[in-house]
Amino acid sequence: MAAQGRQGGRKSNKMTALVVDDNMVNRAIHHRLLDNLGIESEAVGNGKEAVDIHCSGRTFDLILMDMDMPIMNGIEATRKLREMGIRSTIAGVSTRSVEHEIREFIEAGLDDYQEKPLTMTKLISIIHKVKG
Amino acid sequence: MNIVNQLQRQFIDFSTSLHREGFVDDQFTQLQKLQDENSPDFVVEVVSLFFEDCEKLINNMARALEQTQGVDFKQVDASVHQLKGSSSSIGAMRVKNACISFRSFCEAQNREGCLRCLQQVTHEYSLLKNKLQTLFTLEQQILAAGGSIPVVD
């Protein structure tokens, strides 16, 4: 059963996740990784869509946030979601390896950061940080 | 050795050669491990998405590099960055490495260098496509003969 609705009003105990990535190959892989762990996921293609889906009242236990995306990137989206009061676990997932760029991403409000490509081991480590 | 064993042996040898020759890396193995009874076509589906993505991005790069008014290297770089990301995610090592070189030429705004890299990326993509099609054909043959696909670590 899909987990929907306002925070705390979930009908199932399944963890939910939002994949935010402009690359469809990555979206397919991240969805499969989450599915294998019994986590229901949805995917959007950029930071603005991530913000919009939250504005519509949806919440997720976990958000996998890519950094480089058109329209609104992961740093801006993370900042915006935190300003909106979204307390979900947000894990930044990116190919960037320059320290100050990663730091800027983390300081925007991430709970975790993993370098791509995402593997099962990295995802499990992220899951351990999911609150509640 | 019966037909299934023969095909499985062929599959193992071919898989090993793909890794040895750098066509795929451990990330590809990780994807193969994600495939199960619930998603028996996962690898083929993701690889198909990757090749669609490749073709679209290569076309974008070619169009951007053809501009006689002045090449928008940022646009070329954006496409290369995308391709580097998806090739890394599926474990397409040689394509990914070709993208890494490509990005340096974009940064240097070197059109000739970029065109050479585009040729290289296109070449690696074609090679990989052939190799993976062979791999998937072997898998189908094993399954059709009643066997199971060996896990190659």
Side-chain angles (χ1 to χ4, degrees), chain A residues 22-23 26 29 32 36 68, chain B residues 34 39 42 81-82 86 89:
Chain A
D22 61 331
N23 186 289
N26 291 335
I29 294 172
R32 179 87 229 119
N36 267 22
D68 296 304
Chain B
L34 286 178
S39 61
F42 171 66
H81 174 74
Q82 278 279 317
S86 46
S89 292

Side-chain angles (χ1 to χ4, degrees), chain A residues 7-130:
Chain A
Q7 208 154 353
R10 272 181 274 128
K11 292 178 181 172
S12 83
N13 289 324
K14 263 196 167 181
M15 202 183 281
T16 59
L18 179 67
V19 174
V20 189
D21 200 308
D22 61 331
N23 186 289
M24 58 181 172
V25 174
N26 291 335
R27 287 199 299 268
I29 294 172
H30 294 175
H31 173 77
R32 179 87 229 119
L33 282 167
L34 290 161
D35 203 51
N36 267 22
L37 290 176
I39 297 169
E40 281 179 16
S41 69
E42 285 188 48
V44 291
N46 61 60
K48 183 173 184 304
E49 287 178 16
V51 169
D52 289 347
I53 202 171
H54 282 87
C55 286
S56 74
R58 300 286 304 280
T59 56
F60 303 87
D61 298 301
L62 171 66
I63 301 170
L64 292 181
M65 184 78 79
D66 183 25
M67 175 143 47
D68 296 304
M69 293 179 286
I71 304 172
M72 188 189 287
N73 68 29
I75 297 175
E76 292 170 55
T78 303
R79 243 180 235 136
K80 186 85 190 134
L81 289 171
R82 292 306 190 206
E83 279 167 19
M84 286 164 62
I86 301 299
R87 293 286 159 254
S88 312
T89 302
I90 305 179
V93 188
S94 175
T95 51
R96 296 284 182 119
S97 53
V98 175
E99 209 187 299
H100 76 85
E101 287 170 343
I102 298 171
R103 195 168 44 244
E104 193 188 350
F105 199 6
I106 293 171
E107 283 169 3
L110 296 182
D111 295 291
D112 195 10
Y113 175 85
Q114 294 287 346
E115 205 175 311
K116 272 181 187 169
L118 201 62
T119 60
M120 194 50 99
T121 309
K122 289 180 186 177
L123 182 59
I124 290 170
S125 136
I126 290 171
I127 303 296
H128 284 145
K129 302 214 169 159
V130 174

Side-chain angles (χ1 to χ4, degrees), chain B residues 34-72:
Chain B
L34 286 178
Q35 188 162 287
D36 59 21
E37 321 75 64
N38 297 327
S39 61
D41 300 317
F42 171 66
V43 178
V44 169
E45 284 167 3
V46 169
V47 166
S48 301
L49 275 178
F50 170 68
F51 286 137
E52 263 177 55
D53 204 35
C54 255
E55 279 164 35
K56 184 191 79 184
L57 292 168
I58 286 172
N59 285 338
N60 289 349
M61 294 168 203
R63 265 201 312 275
L65 286 167
E66 268 165 26
Q67 297 307 312
T68 47
Q69 306 291 0
V71 174
D72 184 347

Side-chain angles (χ1 to χ4, degrees), chain B residues 27-39:
Chain B
Q27 184 63 14
F28 186 72
T29 312
Q30 296 285 325
L31 293 190
Q32 288 174 308
K33 288 180 179 173
L34 286 178
Q35 188 162 287
D36 59 21
E37 321 75 64
N38 297 327
S39 61

Side-chain angles (χ1 to χ4, degrees), chain B residues 107-122:
Chain B
E107 215 175 322
Q109 303 205 357
N110 181 332
R111 185 169 177 268
E112 286 311 307
C114 282
L115 286 168
R116 277 197 306 274
C117 285
L118 178 60
Q119 240 182 345
Q120 183 67 15
V121 162
T122 308

